[in-house]
Amino acid sequence: MGDHAFMTDFTKGDRVRWSSHGSTATGEVVRRITASTEAAGRTVRASSEEPQYLVRSDNGGEAVHRPEALTKI
């Protein structure tokens, strides 16, 4: 990818939407992940150069997404 100029940084509490199992889910950013860790029931491979975001959907589920999968609403 290389060109990160288009990527958006998200902060805790941002309202976002993403694709989930063929539909669109909405929720909020819980935290930015910048190191490999366990989150939302899986191992997340992240770094400060390639962060991922823990999000909580409006129905209460948690997931981790790369920034390009999220859209601010």
Side-chain angles (χ1 to χ4, degrees):
M1 288 205 281
D3 181 18
H4 295 286
F6 69 92
M7 286 191 175
T8 303
D9 278 331
F10 299 95
T11 57
K12 183 178 178 177
D14 281 351
R15 295 285 302 159
V16 292
R17 72 170 175 258
W18 62 93
S19 294
S20 177
H21 306 290
S23 62
T24 301
T26 58
E28 72 177 42
V29 173
V30 175
R31 69 182 170 101
R32 183 176 198 242
I33 301 170
T34 57
S36 293
T37 188
E38 295 285 325
R42 68 179 185 89
T43 300
V44 177
R45 305 267 180 240
S47 67
S48 56
E49 293 80 28
E50 294 188 15
Q52 295 196 43
Y53 292 88
L54 178 64
V55 293
R56 182 173 296 120
S57 68
D58 291 338
N59 69 11
E62 288 189 342
V64 176
H65 292 290
R66 297 184 186 281
E68 57 269 25
L70 301 172
T71 303
K72 278 189 186 181
I73 53 174

